[in-house]
Amino acid sequence: MNRRVFALALSLSLGLAFAPRLAFAENHLSEAIAHTKQAIDHGKQGHGDVLATHAEQALKHAEAAEKEKANPHIKQGITHLEKAIETGKEKKAEAATKHAEEALMHLEQAK
C-alpha cells in the first residue's frame, strides 16, 4: 500500500514539474502566431516598418518557444521572421509579407 501511494505521489509530482514548461511553450507559440498575423496585416497595408516591429515581437516569442520545446517548424518560422524583419526595415513590404506568411505557416504547423 505504501509503495502504491509513493509511486502515485512521485508520478504526480513529475507530471506537475513538466506541465508548466509545456504550457509556457504553447503560450509563447500562440503569442508568436498572433504577432505574425499582425505583421502580415500591416504588410498588406504597405507598412513595412510596422511589420518589422510585430515580426520582432513574434521572433522573441518564437525563440522562447523553440528554447522550451525544440521543433523544426519553429526553426523555419524563426528563419522567415528574421527575413521579414530585414526586408520590412528596408521598406519592402510585399517581400516582408511573404516571409511573414511563410513564418506563420510553419509556426501554425508547430502547434
Side-chain angles (χ1 to χ4, degrees):
M1 178 76 172
N2 285 340
R3 285 185 180 181
R4 287 184 184 171
V5 171
F6 178 74
L8 178 64
L10 181 63
S11 16
L12 284 174
S13 63
L14 286 174
L16 290 174
F18 290 109
R21 265 187 96 165
L22 295 175
F24 287 133
E26 286 297 318
N27 187 38
H28 280 297
L29 188 56
S30 295
E31 285 294 317
I33 289 170
H35 280 289
T36 303
K37 287 179 179 179
Q38 290 175 339
I40 292 168
D41 289 342
H42 285 284
K44 288 181 178 180
Q45 296 172 18
H47 305 146
D49 53 340
V50 181
L51 178 149
T53 302
H54 283 291
E56 286 171 341
Q57 291 299 314
L59 179 62
K60 288 178 187 177
H61 286 288
E63 288 173 338
E66 172 64 22
K67 190 174 183 181
E68 291 173 353
K69 182 182 172 188
N71 185 305
H73 285 293
I74 296 175
K75 283 186 180 186
Q76 284 296 315
I78 288 170
T79 299
H80 284 288
L81 284 171
E82 291 170 341
K83 291 177 183 176
I85 293 165
E86 181 183 325
T87 53
K89 287 181 177 179
E90 294 171 353
K91 308 276 194 234
K92 298 177 182 174
E94 188 175 332
T97 302
K98 288 181 183 180
H99 283 297
E101 289 171 337
E102 282 290 319
L104 179 62
M105 180 189 69
H106 285 289
L107 293 173
E108 287 179 333
Q109 287 177 350
K111 273 197 139 185

